[in-house]
Amino acid sequence: MSSIFGSARPTLNLFGSLGNTTSAASQSQPGQTSTLFGNNNASQPTSQQLPFSSLGGQSSSQPQPSLFSNLGGQSNPAPQQPPFPSIGGPSTSQQPLFSNPSGQAQSNQAEQSAQAEQVNGAKGSHTAYFDALLEKNRKRRRTAEERSAFGEVPTLELGLGDIAKRVRELGHESGIQNQNNTGADSRAHYLLAASGVNPGAAIRDLNSLHPQGFSSQDAGSRPGWDPDSHKYVEQLQQQSTLRMIADGISRAQQNFDAYLAENIEMNWDAQRKKIYEHFGLTPRGSEAPSDSINNTTPGIMGSFGRSARRGRGGPSDRSSQNTPNRSVFGRSGMQKSVIGTPGVGSGNATVFGEAAEKPNQVIPAQDDRFFRDKQENFAKKVQTLNESRLRGIPYPVLQEFASVEGQAGGDSPTQLIDAYKALVEIVKENPESSSLTDPGTVKERQYAEEYLDETLTSAKAFKVRKMILNGSRKALEKQFYSNLESLVARNPREASLGGIPTIINRVRAYIRIRNSRKDLAPDGIELQILNEDYCWALIFFLLRSGFVKEAAEYVSSNAGPFRALDRNFVTWITEYARDPNRRLPRNQQDRINADYQQRTRMAPENSLDPYRMACYKIIGRCELGKRSIDNISQGVEDWMWLQFSLAREVNRAEEAANEVYGLDEVRGMIREIGQRHFQKGSEGPGGYGTFFYLQILGGLFENAIMYLYPHSYVAAVHFAIALDFYGLFRVSNFSVSESELLTYDTTERPQISFGRMIGYYTRDFRANNPVAAVDYLTLIHLNADLPGELGKSQSSLCHEALRELVLETREFAQLLGDVRSDGTRIKGAIEQRLKLIGIADQEAFLHTVTLQAASIADDNGRTTDAVLLYHLAEDYDNVINIINRTLSEAIAVDIGEEKLMLEPLKPRTDSQNAIKAPEGSSLSLTTVDDPAVLAKNMITVYNGNALYYRKIRSASRDTCGVLLRISEAKGKVEEQQWAEAIDVNILPFFFNEQQRSYTDRVYEQIISSLSLLPLSADSSIPIIRSYAQKLNTLQPNISRLVGPLLLWTMVCISRQCDILSGNDGQGGFETHTRSVMRADLVTKAKDLMVFAGLIKLRLGNGIWDALIGGAAEVGAY
């Protein structure tokens, strides 16, 4: 007899053998039934039954076919239907869910009866096994129910015993409900059973969670009416206290959840992708190891290690914040920090996506000191630059930066200095200019409009391209002549300069040195000599040095001999030197080209002087398809000079196609050189300087900065500053380039994230030198003159960076200002540079960044910072409110416990010498750690100036005075001066003798009625009750101290009574005066106890118990 699950082996197997592919068609036979999962192997009788043989309960009159019916035996199975057609209830008259592929008829009623008998007979063999499993399950459930009064939701991880019990219950309940349920109910049961859910058990579990258990507790916690009013009030007090504690816990949980959501939760897939790309495990831009990384929305991705959630809005909120052009110092509209997290070292080179792909050169340990010195020197130059901008005088920023880059001790390549010199020639920077009105003085952002012109054929764009061509050529010519002079100076014997050291004589000396070294021309080539000079070599090197007029004069002075050599050359070079664009007339251009072509084709090999052909090529721009010179040794600079000498910016529509060669073609060649010879990681030590120099010469400024940044981010930042200062730099929108240094606009022009690059650079030093960081961040505002939203976004970016700097460094005294001892302001670093950051109104400045910084400082508990900032913002009333709150908290600390101390303000230093400001030059907020001392200092300042005094509300002033007297009383108690502490009047302290003359009439009534404790009630219940009623009108900072004040007063009375009674160990005689004084103190103690009983709900249990003990010692009870 076969098991309901079928079996191919005599061992127990829950699912049979699903692996075989050969089986016979299952047919109904007497004494054999179909298995639940079909006959997967072969229809073989088994002698052992499997567990769970009665899953379905009562069987119906319909035959029970195989559920999956011979999975491996037929190639054309029937279409699939919902599984488990008859689990949990009787089968219907419908066709079987999976028909038998063998095509045989259904089994008859006798076969079903035989199957039922077999199933029922199998129960007895495994009773003990299942009973043990069920007993373990019951014990586990009882243990779980004992841990909770309401039970727990049953787990979904069920054992075999749980499954057996649930299936039996399911079958039993399904058999009972089948008579009344419809087909739809059966299908619902089938679906739930297939998912492992028992509807009946689930209903019982849900009923066990009825809120009656909670309601019973709540009902028990409600205080019922009790004739004992004291007990009823205690119950009300306990209930309110518990409710307050529960509310506090709930708020704390919500705040903690919000903190986790803001700071802890991260998109781990995106972070893993960043880590892989950072360490080079996957190339940038490739598919991440996990598919989920590719589905991450880049717009809402946070910075590395930071939460990507900046608010409750999702990605849809991002569209409204694409342009950070909101209020500069209002709530930040940036999705990412502008200045980054603080850090030191070359890690700045990895903060951008493209830069992280390139290998970083870690600064050696021995160069750390030079590296820091270099940064400090650059910071001084930037500070001087801003000072010159404020004063309105020119500043040669390129030459000043080049002097820092050229300092001895560094490992920077010399090409960086050459690049600065090239930029000097391009922008025509004149270090001798002393005023912006001097002719030839280059002004700030002078070339911005021309360089950023989007029309390539416009006159402005043409002017910039021509300026770059001429400037780069002049720079290469000056560099060559400088090397020529140094070579002549180092080799005086070979040079044989002699005579007057004119330019032509120096070039002759240079030719002699080259000739003596046998590198003037290759072997076998004879150079033409004229008057003992290699004439063509002399003309070529004069052209190479940029002395075109001197070359023309040399040819004219030897016109006769030159006409014998070439009768047209004198005319050509004269016209070439005379034309400002260095171009020949069309007829002469055609003639020199024809002469050049004829000589190169017809002259025998090695018979032409290579320098003569080079002069023809340069003057006549001959054979532009071949832009190189044969048989003359050349370096990279020589080759680049030839390109710039041949290039001309002309109207391409009017120029012949074979003569078009301009700056765009030169740039294309530079890019090709970079792709061939300067790929990532292929540069040698310092080799990056060559390609960077080529890019600067070609006017590829943005690409040059991008290339230099991973190698030397300090140099890249200052090159970018110099370029941006003169307007030769394209910057990108902050919101568009959140993680990339180099991006492209809609016209495929490169642009740099200038603001983020500057902000990240300040990470190295802004903690130690925040004023220098202000100078750098101020430069972001250079781009505020850009048209449209881009200029506004750059201005907002600068302001946002300064705001982050203020809040991060907490150097409020240096950045925002300080206050002298007389209350006058000392301008901070930012306020001194308001003109450079586009804030002309000081009032707007005070009520934006200062107020926001003050609010954040107050929220973070930095009282001294908040007091200074609110004072700088001229919000004097808020200063007193903060002092009142802090003083109240300090007074509330129990006597004997650690006092509440403040964090002193960071001292203000001199930005020039980095030394502390002299004492007395500002308020002593840098050393104040006692709230009472802080309050007295500020009160002294405000009392001395009526302008400050009138801006403070009278309630705040009175509260501060009362708190100071309470603090004085607490000090007397701590010093055990009991009599003096009792005699301290709780009266306003907030004005001095000079102000009494005109404030007595106003505050006389307040002064006489502001006593807090009924020490003079003399057992008058109405007076005591009036004191209790006035408690509701007091400020919260005062009313919270009534309990501790009561306790201190009772302690003083008790100790003073001991002294009067002689119980203090010092002895003393009993006198009438002492008796009267002791009786008066007892009366005061009784009045205080009556007063305490009226306000008992406001007092804690500890204070009430201590008051009872003190009153008992005095004898009030």
Side-chain angles (χ1 to χ4, degrees):
M1 182 178 298
S2 174
S3 168
I4 189 172
F5 286 97
S7 178
R9 294 187 297 272
T11 59
L12 293 177
N13 189 353
L14 182 61
F15 297 104
S17 178
L18 297 176
N20 287 348
T21 58
T22 60
S23 63
S26 63
Q27 300 184 9
S28 301
Q29 298 178 3
Q32 179 178 351
T33 62
S34 300
T35 67
L36 179 63
F37 291 92
N39 193 354
N40 295 322
N41 294 301
S43 299
Q44 298 179 1
T46 59
S47 60
Q48 190 170 1
Q49 295 180 348
L50 291 174
F52 311 104
S53 57
S54 58
L55 288 173
Q58 297 290 337
S59 62
S60 65
S61 60
Q62 296 296 331
Q64 299 293 331
S66 167
L67 180 60
F68 296 99
S69 66
N70 197 0
L71 292 175
Q74 297 294 334
S75 60
N76 298 320
Q80 287 190 357
Q81 302 289 337
F84 304 102
S86 60
I87 295 180
S91 61
T92 63
S93 59
Q94 299 175 358
Q95 285 297 107
L97 188 61
F98 292 91
S99 61
N100 195 333
S102 63
Q104 297 189 2
Q106 303 290 336
S107 59
N108 53 22
Q109 184 69 25
E111 293 174 344
Q112 296 297 326
S113 301
Q115 180 182 1
E117 292 176 0
Q118 293 172 2
V119 171
N120 293 331
K123 292 183 179 180
S125 60
H126 299 286
T127 303
Y129 175 74
F130 292 129
D131 289 343
L133 293 177
L134 293 175
E135 184 62 22
K136 291 181 180 179
N137 181 45
R138 294 190 189 98
K139 290 181 179 180
R140 185 172 68 253
R141 293 186 62 183
R142 284 197 300 270
T143 303
E145 291 174 357
E146 291 174 359
R147 291 195 300 264
S148 175
F150 309 103
E152 295 179 353
V153 178
T155 178
L156 295 178
E157 300 176 358
L158 304 178
L160 295 178
D162 299 318
I163 295 175
K165 181 178 178 181
R166 298 298 173 86
V167 170
R168 292 192 188 98
E169 293 174 353
L170 178 63
H172 178 68
E173 294 173 1
S174 300
I176 296 176
Q177 297 176 359
N178 182 54
Q179 300 176 359
N180 299 325
N181 290 345
T182 61
D185 296 334
S186 299
R187 288 193 295 272
H189 281 290
Y190 300 157
L191 179 61
L192 292 174
S195 302
V197 178
N198 187 345
I203 292 176
R204 288 195 300 273
D205 294 336
L206 293 175
N207 291 334
S208 65
L209 298 176
H210 195 274
Q212 59 184 358
F214 296 99
S215 62
S216 63
Q217 275 194 357
D218 293 340
S221 63
R222 296 192 189 96
W225 171 252
D226 196 321
D228 188 357
S229 60
H230 178 73
K231 182 178 180 181
Y232 180 73
V233 171
E234 282 188 349
Q235 290 178 353
L236 287 177
Q237 183 179 1
Q238 292 175 0
Q239 184 179 5
S240 62
T241 303
L242 293 176
R243 187 179 296 109
M244 292 174 59
I245 294 174
D247 293 341
I249 294 175
S250 176
R251 287 193 301 270
Q253 291 176 347
Q254 293 176 0
N255 294 336
F256 182 71
D257 293 340
Y259 174 81
L260 291 180
E262 178 69 19
N263 298 279
I264 304 301
E265 183 178 338
M266 294 189 300
N267 191 329
W268 292 108
D269 292 334
Q271 301 306 325
R272 179 173 56 179
K273 180 181 178 181
K274 284 187 176 182
I275 293 173
Y276 286 166
E277 293 177 350
H278 175 75
F279 290 102
L281 301 179
T282 57
R284 181 165 298 277
S286 62
E287 297 295 330
S290 176
D291 294 337
S292 60
I293 298 177
N294 300 328
N295 299 329
T296 303
T297 304
I300 60 174
M301 189 183 303
S303 60
F304 185 81
R306 298 285 301 274
S307 171
R309 299 176 58 185
R310 291 298 174 195
R312 299 193 179 273
S316 60
D317 295 337
R318 180 61 181 265
S319 60
S320 62
Q321 300 174 356
N322 283 338
T323 55
N325 53 1
R326 302 163 130 198
S327 173
V328 47
F329 299 114
R331 184 174 179 83
S332 173
M334 308 299 177
Q335 292 292 316
K336 195 174 182 179
S337 174
V338 179
I339 61 178
T341 56
V344 179
S346 59
N348 280 313
T350 63
V351 296
F352 294 102
E354 306 97 326
E357 296 178 358
K358 300 187 177 182
N360 300 324
Q361 293 187 348
V362 180
I363 302 170
Q366 63 270 17
D367 291 343
D368 283 348
R369 181 177 179 180
F370 170 77
F371 181 77
R372 291 193 300 269
D373 293 342
K374 185 177 182 180
Q375 283 189 322
E376 291 178 0
N377 293 331
F378 269 125
K380 293 178 181 178
K381 298 297 182 181
V382 172
Q383 181 181 2
T384 308
L385 170 64
N386 286 330
E387 291 176 354
S388 300
R389 294 171 62 199
L390 289 172
R391 295 165 54 190
I393 60 177
Y395 183 77
V397 58
L398 288 169
Q399 300 189 37
E400 294 294 335
F401 284 176
S403 64
V404 177
E405 196 68 52
Q407 289 179 353
D411 56 352
S412 300
T414 58
Q415 288 85 356
L416 298 183
I417 303 175
D418 295 336
Y420 275 116
K421 295 179 180 179
L423 290 175
V424 169
E425 295 299 327
I426 291 174
V427 302
K428 301 179 178 62
E429 185 180 81
N430 184 11
E432 303 298 331
S433 298
S434 59
S435 175
L436 295 177
T437 59
D438 293 343
T441 301
V442 186
K443 302 177 179 60
E444 176 183 328
R445 304 287 294 175
Q446 179 169 331
Y447 303 106
E449 185 177 357
E450 292 84 357
Y451 184 77
L452 300 176
D453 191 358
E454 298 181 359
T455 306
L456 297 178
T457 58
S458 65
K460 296 178 180 178
F462 177 83
K463 178 182 177 181
V464 170
R465 291 196 299 269
K466 185 177 179 180
M467 179 182 70
I468 294 174
L469 278 177
N470 296 334
S472 299
R473 187 186 68 251
K474 289 180 180 179
L476 291 170
E477 291 170 350
K478 288 187 176 182
Q479 179 186 6
F480 175 80
Y481 187 71
S482 176
N483 295 333
L484 183 149
E485 286 184 320
S486 62
L487 181 63
V488 171
R490 291 196 307 268
N491 301 275
R493 179 176 299 179
E494 291 86 353
S496 300
L497 182 58
I500 301 174
T502 61
I503 295 176
I504 295 179
N505 289 335
R506 287 193 177 94
V507 175
R508 285 172 177 156
Y510 174 76
I511 294 175
R512 294 190 192 101
I513 296 174
R514 294 282 300 269
N515 187 40
S516 63
R517 297 181 178 182
K518 306 299 183 182
D519 62 348
L520 188 60
D523 296 337
I525 297 180
E526 294 184 1
L527 303 180
Q528 293 184 356
I529 299 176
L530 182 64
N531 298 330
E532 299 182 357
D533 290 331
Y534 295 105
C535 56
W536 297 111
L538 180 61
I539 296 172
F540 174 79
F541 287 118
L542 285 173
L543 295 177
R544 177 67 180 87
S545 303
F547 301 110
V548 180
K549 293 183 180 180
E550 286 76 1
E553 291 175 358
Y554 171 76
V555 174
S556 299
S557 62
N558 297 278
F562 271 101
R563 290 187 188 278
L565 297 174
D566 190 335
R567 59 188 179 88
N568 295 319
F569 185 77
V570 178
T571 304
W572 294 339
I573 195 170
T574 303
E575 291 293 335
Y576 182 79
R578 186 181 304 165
D579 190 270
N581 297 324
R582 293 190 176 183
R583 299 198 64 181
L584 296 178
R586 170 55 56 186
N587 57 345
Q588 297 183 13
Q589 178 78 30
D590 296 339
R591 189 176 301 175
I592 193 174
N593 274 282
D595 193 1
Y596 179 86
Q597 295 292 338
Q598 183 179 4
R599 290 180 183 276
T600 55
R601 292 178 183 178
M602 301 179 62
E605 186 178 0
N606 297 333
S607 63
L608 293 177
D609 190 333
Y611 290 99
R612 178 176 185 175
M613 304 309 296
C615 292
Y616 281 20
K617 190 176 191 67
I618 294 169
I619 295 174
R621 300 179 72 231
C622 303
E623 198 177 2
L624 289 179
K626 181 183 178 182
R627 294 178 292 274
S628 61
I629 302 175
D630 298 332
N631 299 327
I632 297 178
S633 60
Q634 292 179 308
V636 177
E637 292 81 3
D638 299 324
W639 182 84
M640 284 301 301
W641 172 81
L642 179 62
Q643 310 310 308
F644 286 107
S645 296
L646 298 177
R648 298 289 187 277
E649 282 298 325
V650 295
N651 189 351
R652 295 177 179 256
E654 301 176 357
E655 193 75 10
N658 60 343
E659 295 184 1
V660 174
Y661 185 70
L663 182 61
D664 292 339
E665 286 73 19
V666 175
R667 289 173 174 174
M669 295 186 64
I670 294 174
R671 294 190 186 98
E672 185 179 355
I673 291 173
Q675 294 175 359
R676 289 184 179 181
H677 306 286
F678 296 95
Q679 291 295 328
K680 302 173 184 177
S682 62
E683 311 94 340
Y688 62 89
T690 301
F691 186 56
F692 171 76
Y693 183 41
L694 294 180
Q695 289 177 309
I696 291 294
L697 291 173
L700 300 172
F701 302 132
E702 295 81 10
N703 300 89
I705 299 303
M706 175 63 207
Y707 178 78
L708 180 62
Y709 191 84
H711 299 284
S712 177
Y713 68 90
V714 176
V717 166
H718 292 89
F719 268 106
I721 290 174
L723 290 168
D724 196 55
F725 179 77
Y726 289 117
L728 296 174
F729 207 62
R730 292 187 185 92
V731 298
S732 60
N733 197 324
F734 180 85
S735 60
V736 174
S737 57
E738 287 194 354
S739 60
E740 305 297 337
L741 177 60
L742 179 69
T743 56
Y744 294 89
D745 59 8
T746 55
T747 58
E748 293 300 321
R749 296 187 304 174
Q751 52 188 7
I752 292 290
S753 181
F754 181 74
R756 190 186 300 276
M757 180 174 62
I758 295 296
Y760 285 174
Y761 175 72
T762 61
R763 302 193 311 174
D764 292 350
F765 54 84
R766 63 174 178 253
N768 298 326
N769 193 357
V771 177
V774 171
D775 284 317
Y776 277 95
L777 296 178
T778 302
L779 297 175
I780 301 177
H781 200 268
L782 285 171
N783 302 290
D785 60 348
L786 296 177
E789 292 295 328
L790 183 58
K792 296 180 181 178
S793 67
Q794 295 299 314
S795 177
S796 299
L797 186 64
C798 172
H799 301 157
E800 177 68 16
L802 292 173
R803 185 190 70 87
E804 291 186 15
L805 177 68
V806 171
L807 300 180
E808 177 189 303
T809 60
R810 291 184 56 242
E811 298 287 351
F812 304 119
Q814 294 189 56
L815 301 183
L816 298 180
D818 204 348
V819 183
R820 294 188 177 89
S821 56
D822 58 355
T824 57
R825 288 175 52 86
I826 302 175
K827 289 186 177 182
I830 297 179
E831 191 172 357
Q832 293 173 0
R833 295 161 177 81
L834 291 180
K835 179 182 177 182
L836 303 181
I837 61 177
I839 299 179
D841 186 6
Q842 180 179 356
E843 190 71 17
F845 169 76
L846 292 175
H847 287 83
T848 48
V849 62
T850 311
L851 283 177
Q852 186 178 13
S855 177
I856 294 177
D858 189 21
D859 293 341
N860 294 338
R862 302 195 299 267
T863 302
T864 53
D865 294 345
V867 167
L868 173 62
L869 292 172
Y870 277 121
H871 181 86
L872 295 175
E874 300 180 359
D875 191 355
Y876 308 120
D877 186 68
N878 217 342
V879 172
I880 299 302
N881 291 335
I882 294 174
I883 291 176
N884 291 343
R885 184 182 68 244
T886 306
L887 188 57
S888 177
E889 293 173 355
I891 295 174
V893 177
D894 293 339
I895 295 177
E897 295 184 1
E898 184 179 0
K899 294 182 179 181
L900 177 64
M901 309 303 290
L902 302 177
E903 181 181 0
L905 186 70
K906 289 186 178 182
R908 180 173 56 88
T909 58
D910 186 358
S911 59
Q912 299 288 340
N913 303 319
I915 59 175
K916 291 185 178 181
E919 295 184 3
S921 62
S922 65
L923 287 177
S924 301
L925 299 180
T926 58
T927 58
V928 169
D929 56 2
D930 189 351
V933 176
L934 175 64
K936 292 178 181 178
N937 289 345
M938 299 308 298
I939 287 174
T940 303
V941 173
Y942 294 156
N943 282 343
N945 193 324
L947 293 178
Y948 299 156
Y949 186 84
R950 294 172 183 174
K951 292 183 180 180
I952 304 172
R953 293 182 297 111
S954 60
S956 301
R957 297 196 298 267
D958 297 339
T959 301
C960 186
V962 171
L963 291 173
L964 283 174
R965 300 306 300 269
I966 295 176
S967 176
E968 183 180 354
K970 182 181 178 181
K972 297 294 184 181
V973 174
E974 291 175 341
E975 296 172 1
Q976 298 184 2
Q977 299 179 7
W978 318 117
E980 292 81 354
I982 298 175
D983 292 338
V984 171
N985 295 322
I986 311 302
L987 297 178
F989 179 76
F990 200 88
F991 37 80
N992 52 26
E993 294 297 331
Q994 296 177 354
Q995 293 170 331
R996 281 187 184 275
S997 59
Y998 64 88
T999 56
D1000 277 345
R1001 292 174 296 176
V1002 180
Y1003 296 102
E1004 183 64 27
Q1005 186 176 0
I1006 299 176
I1007 294 172
S1008 61
S1009 61
L1010 195 58
S1011 298
L1012 297 179
L1013 302 180
L1015 296 176
S1016 59
D1018 197 16
S1019 301
S1020 175
I1021 298 299
I1023 295 178
I1024 298 175
R1025 186 178 291 112
S1026 65
Y1027 274 91
Q1029 293 174 354
K1030 291 178 182 177
L1031 190 62
N1032 297 326
T1033 62
L1034 296 178
Q1035 294 291 329
N1037 292 326
I1038 298 177
S1039 61
R1040 62 181 295 185
L1041 300 177
V1042 172
L1045 188 61
L1046 268 172
L1047 181 59
W1048 301 336
T1049 307
M1050 187 63 69
V1051 170
C1052 292
I1053 291 175
S1054 176
R1055 298 296 183 269
Q1056 190 65 20
C1057 286
D1058 291 342
I1059 294 175
L1060 295 175
S1061 302
N1063 298 329
D1064 58 344
Q1066 297 181 0
F1069 296 99
E1070 180 70 20
T1071 62
H1072 177 70
T1073 303
R1074 289 195 173 196
S1075 299
V1076 172
M1077 293 177 62
R1078 187 170 60 251
D1080 182 63
L1081 291 176
V1082 172
T1083 302
K1084 293 180 183 295
K1086 292 181 179 179
D1087 294 344
L1088 291 179
M1089 290 306 301
V1090 175
F1091 175 76
L1094 295 176
I1095 61 171
K1096 184 178 180 181
L1097 295 178
R1098 294 176 177 266
L1099 305 177
N1101 293 329
I1103 294 179
W1104 174 253
D1105 296 339
L1107 286 174
I1108 294 177
E1113 292 179 1
V1114 174
Y1117 282 163

